[in-house]
Amino acid sequence: MQIYEELKARGLIAQVTDEAEIRELVNNGKAVFYIGFDPTADSLHVGHFMALCLMKRLQMAGNRPIALIGGGTGMVGDPSGRTDMRQMMTTETIQHNCDCFKKQMERFIEFGPDKAIMVNNAEWLMKLNYIELLREVGACFSVNNMLRAECYKQRMEKGLSFLEFNYMIMQSYDFYHMFQTLGCNMQFGGDDQWSNMLGGTELIRRKLGKDAYAMTITLLMNSEGKKMGKTAKGAVWLDPNKTTPFEFYQYWRNVGDADVLKCIRMLTFLPLEEIDAMDKWEGSQLNRAKEILAYELTKLVHGEGEAEKAQETARGLFSGGGSAEHMPSTELPAAKFENGQIGAIALLVACGLCSSNGEARRLIQQGGMMVNDQKVTDIAAVFEQADFQGEGVIIKKGKKVFHRAYIR
């Protein structure tokens, strides 16, 4: 099976333009493609996973990835899928985030001459003359068509700033610029980027002729990826200082039964034949599938050693044994204890397992807290400071979240 057919079989491709030409380029390693990353944080998260895996798959097939960091567009803010205006960042913050992104991307793709490259669209967007842009690019866009785009429709009711209205033009200009300067002939993006991507393809063809070889493919990466990237606590980061390897493993170990095989198919590099055989799995076999998913993705992001540790810790906890060494932990300061004790509510908040006293109170009342395998049902329950010495205590939130609290 060639790479384009594999991408389809894995459920990655949602829409395309010029499918025959795209298949030809991708299968023959002739695609120079870009995927954009918005530098709004200093770490990528699991919502970017599909894009990173796609870049790796295509590079392995001989194609050349361009990781486009939106340093310029990030100063405007993408209105897609948002109900309010995004806070603008400084150039220093954007550059710091770009540097962090590249370190994480190097686990997926190889950078270097004739390999993958990273570019920042601030390099060209910040130099644009407004009048020249209006004359060269603005004339190619219909305001009526732009207002029909889904990314703008969602914002029209609450107000769309003129600043954000320019986002489609800027993203389209990115493809136009890279087509001419880097030989970029293909762009990939999530389904919420479809209108912006079509704008770039149309701009190239209107400015350079209908025979200009520019293609677009939109994936399920944003509708699926954004759902993957969010939990009750927020984003699941690829940076181990933000989300530990164990927490990362547990996130994937806890995916729903209905999603586990879809995630294995889209995100792991296991052979499709092996994955297809899992389609018949059910019941306890799905727990094995979740272990496979969690292990494979943790290995991809954090390395085989961390994946082994995370799996060993998780298995030990669920079987009632094992070490808490690699579990997410909180060292409690002495100030958290009053008269040598700490309350259950304060403990949950101090460990970051609940964001407020009210949330902690509700969790306890609903039977969602255990300490050292003992259910805590009294919101007034307290624990002795001496209990937290040595390895400390193991707190279980709900059915699947484990946390160690200790004092030195």
Side-chain angles (χ1 to χ4, degrees), residues 191-241:
D191 55 357
D192 64 348
Q193 294 292 316
W194 186 239
S195 297
N196 295 340
M197 295 167 66
L198 289 179
T201 298
E202 181 63 20
L203 176 61
I204 290 172
R205 294 179 180 178
R206 289 191 65 173
K207 294 295 295 182
L208 304 176
K210 291 185 178 180
D211 294 331
Y213 227 36
M215 315 295 177
T216 60
I217 294 183
T218 181
L219 307 182
L220 294 172
M221 75 170 72
N222 277 353
S223 60
E224 295 292 336
K226 286 181 178 178
K227 182 175 70 175
M228 290 176 184
K230 300 295 181 182
T231 69
K233 292 179 64 177
V236 177
W237 304 100
L238 305 194
D239 183 343
N241 295 315

Side-chain angles (χ1 to χ4, degrees), residues 9-10 12 86 95 103 110 135 345 369 372 404:
R10 288 183 180 272
L12 289 169
R86 179 171 290 162
Q95 184 57 53
K103 290 179 182 178
E110 182 180 355
R135 289 176 60 86
I345 290 176
M369 180 185 188
N372 288 344
R404 181 170 71 102

Side-chain angles (χ1 to χ4, degrees), residues 312-332:
E312 178 186 349
T313 301
R315 285 177 173 174
L317 288 169
F318 281 102
S319 65
S323 170
E325 179 184 357
H326 307 295
M327 191 188 309
S329 302
T330 298
E331 181 182 355
L332 296 173

Side-chain angles (χ1 to χ4, degrees), residues 138-248:
C140 298
F141 286 82
S142 162
V143 171
N144 291 346
N145 289 339
M146 291 174 72
L147 290 176
R148 284 194 287 268
E150 196 61 36
C151 61
Y152 290 135
K153 281 182 182 179
Q154 297 174 6
R155 288 295 310 280
M156 290 297 289
E157 292 182 6
K158 292 200 172 184
L160 176 71
S161 72
F162 183 71
L163 178 72
E164 294 170 296
F165 187 66
N166 281 270
Y167 190 89
M168 181 185 292
I169 294 175
M170 295 174 71
Q171 181 171 330
S172 299
Y173 187 85
D174 284 342
F175 194 20
Y176 174 62
H177 175 85
M178 290 188 290
F179 179 87
Q180 296 182 92
T181 60
L182 300 175
C184 181
N185 54 23
M186 197 173 296
Q187 57 180 333
F188 287 75
D191 55 357
D192 64 348
Q193 294 292 316
W194 186 239
S195 297
N196 295 340
M197 295 167 66
L198 289 179
T201 298
E202 181 63 20
L203 176 61
I204 290 172
R205 294 179 180 178
R206 289 191 65 173
K207 294 295 295 182
L208 304 176
K210 291 185 178 180
D211 294 331
Y213 227 36
M215 315 295 177
T216 60
I217 294 183
T218 181
L219 307 182
L220 294 172
M221 75 170 72
N222 277 353
S223 60
E224 295 292 336
K226 286 181 178 178
K227 182 175 70 175
M228 290 176 184
K230 300 295 181 182
T231 69
K233 292 179 64 177
V236 177
W237 304 100
L238 305 194
D239 183 343
N241 295 315
K242 290 177 175 286
T243 299
T244 68
F246 175 78
E247 290 173 314
F248 188 84

Side-chain angles (χ1 to χ4, degrees), residues 343-355:
I345 290 176
L347 179 59
L348 287 169
V349 174
C351 292
L353 295 172
C354 292
S355 59

Side-chain angles (χ1 to χ4, degrees), residues 329-333 337 388-393 404-408:
S329 302
T330 298
E331 181 182 355
L332 296 173
F337 294 87
F388 294 86
Q389 294 177 344
E391 287 197 3
V393 303
R404 181 170 71 102
Y406 66 97
I407 57 174
R408 292 193 185 278

